[in-house]
Amino acid sequence: MHILKRVKPLIVNQSVWLCTTILLVITLIFNFAVFFPSVAISSSPTQPVIQIKDEFNSYDLSKYLFFLEDKDNNLTIDQVSGAEFSQQFRQPESNPPSFGYTSSTYWGRLELQNTTTQPIQLILSLEYLQIDRIAIYLPNWSASDKSQTETAKDLNRSEPWLVKHTGLLYPFASRDVNDRLPAFRINLPPQVREVVYLRFQTTTPLIIQAYLGDTITFWQYRSLHNIWLGLFYGILIFAILYNLLLYTALKDHAYLYYIGFAIGVGIIMASLDGFGTQYFWPSAIWWNKYAVPVITYPTSIALLRWITLFLETKRFLPRWHQGLKLHQLYLTFVFISWFIWPFRFVSLINTLGMIATCSLAITLGVITFRRGYLPARYYLLSSTLFLGSIVVHQLSQLKLIPAFVWLKDGYRFGIIASVVLLSLALADRINLLKAEKLQEQKLALQE
């Protein structure tokens, strides 16, 4: 008893210090992201030229795209393509180029040269869907198979640029390429060298992972990637059906909340992958932008409710149980803020909220595991990979860590690992429920 009296205040103090540390870290992240944006463009040597040859397949454009920041958002294509601004384009420091939350417009420049004797059609694609507006400016003659003599005449016309648009705030039916992710067609006449410009405007984190390839390579890659995504969604559907079966058999609401969480994750992933824009709401431009943040709210609430029941926080962690309720109020406040405050500001708060939610979920697993609650061991294995990958991805959007290419799909591996390992956690949960029922029956028989 004396040992318990000494240990209990120690545990409470550790919990208080842990909560304080999490709040301080979130506050520092918020201040750093808002007041100390990092510079993403560096001085660089001459811009390399992509030489299109007969054996050409595809290029990663991270080292070929040079960028110019337009802080006042008032530059035109005639200005950025002129001599004054042409020398100000610089190569980004990160790969892929990442500018975090920014209020500036960014111009990208790409130099292409068709060394073949045949006209060629290319597709420039971007792997990050969450960009409000993307425009590409092509010399007017590049939209047709004209000769170089006709080209000189075209460049003297009043409209020397052919402009195409895409992005979250652009209807899917009007896109240049009918693909779930942003893409543009570029037609190159034979033996021609040209400069292509892109303009990026967004209130979301700006990450530009771009590729250039011929049409055959592009559609082959898209087909293979869709197969991988089909496997991912199939595993997610299996998890939903498996938990539905367990809920039907055991009537335990923990499984029901996990179903809600998995459905929310599926909708968010479908939005991030562009399937929602292509198949489910192609004309709902407003929903293209708000689908992810709005669905994040009920998904996070379902996750917290599942944690509350699965780890039995009300029984084993009463103080943390009250903290979970306060965190749910915070998430509700963020959800209401979407309809009141500017998108960029609330999006930043929402990112910090996601980091806090995932960190809290992992912390509760550690505490309950250290207290000897057996289901917490598989809970930690299943949730840490997924929730940890979300935290890392959100930190990359804040530009606190580089936006590595593998981070974009890291949470998918986390979900797959979570579904596989969760079966072990659910088995522990079932055994625990059976043990509790047997104990109740034993007590009833004794009475």
Side-chain angles (χ1 to χ4, degrees), residues 4-204:
L4 290 177
K5 289 180 180 180
R6 293 178 182 177
V7 172
K8 186 175 181 180
L10 180 61
I11 295 175
V12 173
N13 290 334
Q14 289 178 345
S15 302
V16 171
W17 277 108
L18 187 57
C19 290
T20 305
T21 303
I22 292 175
L23 290 175
L24 286 175
V25 170
I26 292 174
T27 303
L28 289 174
I29 291 174
F30 181 83
N31 292 331
F32 186 88
V34 174
F35 300 108
F36 301 98
S38 54
V39 178
I41 297 180
S42 62
S43 58
S44 176
T46 306
Q47 181 172 358
V49 180
I50 298 182
Q51 295 186 346
I52 311 300
K53 301 179 181 180
D54 291 330
E55 64 274 11
F56 168 80
N57 289 317
S58 64
Y59 279 102
D60 182 350
L61 299 183
S62 297
K63 65 178 181 179
Y64 294 99
L65 263 176
F66 277 40
F67 292 92
L68 170 68
E69 182 180 6
D70 177 14
K71 294 182 179 180
D72 298 326
N73 303 309
N74 57 6
L75 295 180
T76 64
I77 180 61
D78 294 327
Q79 290 176 308
V80 299
S81 60
E84 178 183 359
F85 291 96
S86 179
Q87 302 301 320
Q88 299 183 25
F89 281 84
R90 296 291 184 268
Q91 187 178 32
E93 293 179 346
S94 57
N95 182 15
S98 175
F99 305 98
Y101 284 93
T102 175
S103 58
S104 302
T105 296
Y106 277 86
W107 290 83
R109 186 179 67 186
L110 182 67
E111 294 191 26
L112 305 173
Q113 182 178 7
N114 184 3
T115 62
T116 69
T117 58
Q118 300 293 328
I120 187 172
Q121 185 178 86
L122 308 173
I123 293 182
L124 191 154
S125 61
L126 296 102
E127 293 298 309
Y128 280 86
L129 173 69
Q130 303 295 308
I131 302 176
D132 292 351
R133 296 179 180 87
I134 309 170
I136 188 170
Y137 293 82
L138 305 168
N140 218 352
W141 48 267
S142 67
S144 59
D145 297 332
K146 298 181 180 181
S147 66
Q148 292 185 2
T149 303
E150 293 174 315
T151 297
K153 297 178 181 178
D154 286 343
L155 290 176
N156 293 325
R157 298 190 312 181
S158 59
E159 297 181 359
W161 297 99
L162 174 66
V163 187
K164 302 178 182 180
H165 299 274
T166 188
L168 279 180
L169 302 182
Y170 201 75
F172 180 81
S174 302
R175 291 185 178 183
D176 186 41
V177 178
N178 291 327
D179 186 48
R180 56 186 178 82
L181 298 178
F184 299 102
R185 287 188 178 88
I186 300 177
N187 296 317
L188 280 178
Q191 302 293 326
V192 162
R193 177 171 174 171
E194 72 172 21
V195 179
V196 176
Y197 291 91
L198 295 114
R199 186 184 65 197
F200 302 92
Q201 296 174 306
T202 188
T203 54
T204 60

Side-chain angles (χ1 to χ4, degrees), residues 321-381:
H321 185 76
Q322 297 300 322
L324 285 173
K325 290 184 177 180
L326 292 176
H327 191 67
Q328 291 178 37
L329 291 177
Y330 166 74
L331 295 177
T332 305
F333 165 75
V334 174
F335 175 74
I336 297 174
S337 299
W338 286 110
F339 308 97
I340 302 175
W341 292 341
F343 183 92
R344 180 180 286 110
F345 178 73
V346 184
S347 182
L348 181 58
I349 298 176
N350 186 59
T351 298
L352 298 176
M354 292 176 65
I355 294 174
T357 301
C358 296
S359 302
L360 183 61
I362 296 172
T363 302
L364 288 175
V366 172
I367 293 175
T368 51
F369 174 73
R370 293 188 63 182
R371 293 193 179 186
Y373 186 63
L374 292 180
R377 54 184 177 178
Y378 294 120
Y379 164 85
L380 274 175
L381 289 174

Side-chain angles (χ1 to χ4, degrees), residues 261-308:
F261 168 69
I263 292 175
V265 169
I267 297 175
I268 292 173
M269 295 296 102
S271 301
L272 292 175
D273 292 328
F275 290 115
T277 304
Q278 184 174 5
Y279 297 111
F280 303 115
W281 52 81
S283 302
I285 298 178
W286 180 89
W287 187 241
N288 286 344
K289 188 177 181 67
Y290 283 89
V292 173
V294 169
I295 298 299
T296 297
Y297 170 70
T299 304
S300 300
I301 295 296
L303 173 64
L304 293 178
R305 292 297 301 157
W306 174 66
I307 293 171
T308 300

